[in-house]
Structures are given as structure tokens and as C-alpha cells.
Amino acid sequence: MLTSELLETARTHMTPNYAPPPFVLDRGEGTYLWDQGGKKYLDFAGGIGVIAVGHNHPKVVAAIAQQAARFCHSSNLFYHEGYIRLCGRLASMCFGDRTFLTNSGTEAVEAALKVARRYFHARDEDRTQFVAAHNSFHGRTYGSLSVTGQPELHKGFGPMMPGITHVPFADIDALDKAVTAQTAAVIIEPILGNGGIKVPPAGYLEAVRDLCDDKGCLLIFDEVQSGIGRTGKWFAHQHEGVTPDILTAAKMLGGGLPLGAMITTDEIAAVLTEGSHASTYGGNPIACAASLATLDIIEEEGLLDHATTKGEELRVALGELVSKHTCALEVRGRGLMVGLVLDRPAKPIYRQCVIDGLLATVAGGTVLRLLPPLNVSSQEIAEAVAIIDRALNSLD
């Protein structure tokens, strides 16, 4: 179909909860995408932080094709090699012993919340409540939306799940007051993603860990956005040397395909008895093949270290824009999870960047969020910063 015909069909038949710019993406390679008209875009949105090793990486494409040629689906009624290997691989990357695979980060969070409640049910303890942070984002199904600390996303969908308390992010005193004998778990993003790329002060995650231990509740780290190498380590909490009880991951885990994971310990996973939780498509063979190939590439190409060095390069370059433009306030982030904070809504800058050939996203309303592939080059960083510089000129 012609682009004009596709856009008309979108306007007529898609639900109106999305508002993409008026072009249709056609293909990608590395850090670039092209639309049907042939226009080239530098992709620092990365499918909202999903594209780990660039578009159309030959090793990921080959893994997908090879698995698709064997079989595409089996459900969790039967073992398949990819699911088993990926669970073992994730155990080698973090604290966890056991993994439940899902189709998304939202589903991983739902599994984490259910497991936390069931853990205390199995111990005959009346702990069913959760504490989360203001401005957090954990998903859009009812459990994950309920712990999401953005009331504007709740509007019209209430009532939310009861027993949820929200406190300011990185405020340990407020958290201490909120956690009670009925709290099953505290759920925290080690770096606030959708809420504006906010990195907590050193020592905060350790203080949260100690608080949960003292009060007898579980600690869930939501690493859907910050995990799988995005910050220069496999998971952001590893920068602080702190271990959660339950971990959620997704986005870059699937190599571009739908895949999430809920990771926990042997003790906690034991409450997931046969039939207690499931996902028909979770851990799909093709998604697992793409994931394993992606993790191989990250290790073989040294992309954890690359994310650290290129992230610093990006933040330094953006810092120069802060010195240059009065509308730019600060740069936040870790590794290649980076936000440019503005003194006004970021949507106009985002739109101008798209027009000029840079795809980014908006977080926290006033933050231009940049989530490029882990193998982004210095040249691509310079190109992106130059486009942002021109866009900021329109505000000065």
C-alpha cells in the first residue's frame, strides 16, 4: 500500500491512543531507520529502549530465521531448548536462581506482584500491600498500573488495585513510614525511566534493601528499562552492589521481539506450584533465540563497557548544550540511559528532532530521553547531538 493509503487506514481503523508522526517506517539497519519515502532517521528511541544491538543485526536475524524454520511455538506445556538455556543464562547474569518468561515487562511485573503475595500467603502472613514511588512506571495492566506512580495514567480506569502506597522517589524516610506489617513488597526502579531518567543518590538502594530486611517484606527491582546492559552492567542495581528478592526485565532482553522475565530465588520461586501461574506465549522459541543471540553479541562485542564509555561521551556532549542553551537545564542518566532536562515541555523539541531525522522519546514531560543501541558509534552520537542543538536553537 502507498504511504498515504496506510496513513488513512491508520486514521480510520487504529484505536486513537497512539499519535505517531505522519510517516510509515519501512526498514532498519544498525542505528538507522528509513521510512517508505526513503527518508533516513537516526534511532535514539530504540523502540523505547528495546533495540540492544541495532536494527537487523545479522546474528540476531539468523537466529530468528533458524528457529522459525524449526518451529515457532510450543507453549509452556512442553520444554524447548531456548527457554531452558535462557533461564540458565539469566541466572549467570544476576542473583537469581529461577526465571519465569513472559511476553512483556508489564507481564513480568504482574508475575512479580503475584509471587510476592503468594510467598507470604504460603507463610500464613497477612502481607498483601505494596509500596512504590511517585512518577514510577511499571506497566499498563491493572496490577502494574496500580503500582505505577503516575495518577494521570490511572484516569478513567479506576478503581486501581487496593493496598498501594506511593512515596517520593529516593526518599528513604518516607519509605520507612509507608512500609507496614501488611507490606508484601517494595517495588522500585533503580533508575526512574518513564518518570524522567532520575538516578537515585549513592546509598539509596542499599538503604531500601536494609529497610525491607528490617521490616520483613520483599524488594522488587523493576529493571525493564534499565536492564540487559543499558547502564553498562547487566542490571542497574549491580552498580550499587545491592541484591533484590525479585527482578523484572524485558525491552532489550528480546532482541527486538516480545520477551520479558521475572527472576527470583529458589525459596521464593517455590511458591509457584504447578498451575499457579502461566503464559501461553511467554518464552516463545523465536523470542528466546533472538534473546540468546543478543546476549552473545553484547558479550562478544564488549558492549557493556562500550555502553559505559559512549554513555559518558553522550552526556558530556549534551552537557555542552546545557551550557549553550538557556532552555536546557541538566543531563541525567547512566550508561546509555540518558535524559536532557528542559525548562519546558519536551514535546516540541522531540517533534523538531523527528523532522530533522532523529528519533527520541519524551520522559517525565520535560525530559528528552535518549536510548540508543549499545553499539552506537561516536559519529552517531555527534550526529544526534547536532540535531538536538539545532532543535534547541528554535527555543532560544
Side-chain angles (χ1 to χ4, degrees), residues 131-163:
V131 180
H134 291 312
N135 298 316
S136 61
F137 183 84
H138 300 290
R140 296 191 185 258
T141 53
Y142 269 103
S144 61
L145 183 61
S146 295
V147 292
T148 290
Q150 300 186 45
E152 66 274 16
L153 299 181
H154 300 171
K155 188 175 181 180
F157 297 113
M160 293 292 104
M161 188 172 78

Side-chain angles (χ1 to χ4, degrees), residues 87-106:
C87 288
R89 188 70 167 271
L90 289 169
S92 73
M93 291 160 53
C94 68
F95 74 99
D97 305 303
R98 304 276 182 163
T99 293
F100 173 81
L101 296 177
T102 69
N103 303 285
S104 67
T106 293

Side-chain angles (χ1 to χ4, degrees), residues 108-333:
V109 170
E110 289 288 340
L113 299 177
K114 289 180 68 177
V115 167
R117 279 187 167 180
R118 191 171 175 89
Y119 175 75
F120 288 107
H121 172 78
R123 294 158 61 100
D124 293 322
E125 294 186 44
D126 182 23
R127 288 180 175 266
T128 60
Q129 299 179 11
F130 298 94
V131 180
H134 291 312
N135 298 316
S136 61
F137 183 84
H138 300 290
R140 296 191 185 258
T141 53
Y142 269 103
S144 61
L145 183 61
S146 295
V147 292
T148 290
Q150 300 186 45
E152 66 274 16
L153 299 181
H154 300 171
K155 188 175 181 180
F157 297 113
M160 293 292 104
M161 188 172 78
I164 311 295
T165 302
H166 290 95
V167 299
F169 181 67
D171 186 334
I172 195 66
D173 292 332
L175 185 64
D176 183 42
K177 293 174 183 176
V179 175
T180 72
Q182 283 72 51
T183 301
V186 172
I187 180 167
I188 294 287
E189 296 167 86
I191 299 176
L192 214 58
N194 184 274
I197 313 297
K198 295 180 180 178
V199 181
Y204 171 69
L205 297 183
E206 183 178 5
V208 174
R209 173 74 275 177
D210 290 343
L211 188 154
C212 290
D213 289 341
D214 289 344
K215 300 211 173 188
C217 68
L218 301 180
L219 174 58
I220 303 169
F221 281 156
D222 181 346
E223 295 242 30
V224 167
Q225 187 172 146
S226 60
I228 317 301
R230 172 59 62 190
T231 67
K233 290 189 179 291
W234 283 120
F235 297 100
H237 71 269
Q238 293 170 337
H239 289 281
E240 304 295 329
V242 178
T243 300
D245 299 296
I246 304 172
L247 175 67
T248 62
K251 290 196 181 290
M252 294 205 300
L253 177 62
L257 297 187
L259 186 66
M262 186 279 296
I263 306 167
T264 190
T265 62
D266 279 326
E267 179 192 2
I268 296 170
V271 304
L272 286 180
T273 53
E274 183 177 349
S276 60
H277 191 57
S279 172
T280 298
Y281 291 104
N284 172 271
I286 298 176
C288 287
S291 177
L292 289 164
T294 298
L295 297 178
D296 283 344
I297 294 163
I298 292 172
E299 288 190 334
E300 292 165 2
E301 298 186 6
L303 295 186
L304 296 182
D305 289 340
H306 190 80
T308 298
T309 58
K310 295 306 170 187
E312 177 65 16
E313 191 174 308
L314 176 57
R315 291 192 300 276
V316 168
L318 291 172
E320 293 175 1
L321 299 189
V322 172
S323 300
K324 179 179 178 181
H325 298 279
T326 58
C327 63
L329 300 180
E330 65 171 311
V331 180
R332 296 199 291 239

Side-chain angles (χ1 to χ4, degrees), residues 3 11 18 21 23 25 44 54 82 95 174 176 181 226 235 254 281 310 322 335 357 367 379:
T3 297
R11 284 190 290 268
Y18 299 119
F23 56 84
L25 294 173
F44 273 45
F95 74 99
D176 183 42
S226 60
F235 297 100
Y281 291 104
K310 295 306 170 187
V322 172
V367 179
Q379 179 181 341

